[in-house]
Each structure stands twice: as C-alpha cells, then as structure tokens.
Amino acid sequence: LYCSQRTCAHCAHGKLFVFKNTSTGQLYLHCTECEHGWDDAERWHDRASACATPSASFEPVPASWFDIEDQGWQRFASQVLQE
C-alpha cells in the first residue's frame, strides 16, 4: 500500500493512499478516513476538486509500484506501508 506524505484537504487529518480504478486503470489519491479522493493528484490540496470514493461503478484496489511508475505518480507515493 503506497501512501502520500500529504494530509487530506477534505477532512484535514486522513492520509492519502494511491489507489487504482479497476474500470479505467486510472490512479487516484484516496483518503481512508473520509472516503474522498482526487483523480488529479496535482489538485490534492483543492478541497473543491475532491469527490466521494469509491464509486459503485468500480472496485478500488491499491496501486502497484508498476502502476505508479507507469503513470508517473512516484512523487505522490513517497511512503510504502505494505507491499
């Protein structure tokens, strides 16, 4: 499980984890405290750009390091909590 060093802008205390949308393959930052997320990791600090996750339309899964490298999200996955 890959974690960002950033704190959730929506709830102000949750950690942001890198998850993968299994329907689209797109990565997103996900707060496990308030269940909000960001499809655009560059906007993680913008509360208005957050959306409630997970959607009923897909099953979220933790992103693999391969997914993170493939989509250029290395700087958003600075801590490894579990592999």
Side-chain angles (χ1 to χ4, degrees):
L1 199 57
Y2 294 92
C3 179
S4 171
Q5 289 184 338
R6 294 152 178 88
T7 302
C8 178
H10 192 267
C11 70
H13 59 82
K15 284 189 176 258
L16 297 175
F17 293 88
V18 183
F19 272 74
K20 182 178 179 178
N21 176 328
T22 54
S23 295
T24 65
Q26 182 178 353
L27 301 184
Y28 65 95
L29 292 176
H30 174 81
C31 177
T32 55
E33 293 291 323
C34 70
E35 299 297 321
H36 279 77
W38 288 262
D39 292 333
D40 181 355
E42 297 286 345
R43 298 185 65 193
W44 67 269
H45 60 283
D46 181 10
R47 216 181 143 173
S49 68
C51 60
T53 59
S55 167
S57 63
F58 71 91
E59 180 67 30
V61 296
S64 69
W65 187 250
F66 175 81
D67 296 326
I68 290 167
E69 283 187 321
D70 187 51
Q71 295 188 35
W73 278 48
Q74 296 93 321
R75 69 176 186 233
F76 302 110
S78 54
Q79 297 177 341
V80 180
L81 298 182
Q82 177 183 26
E83 284 198 83

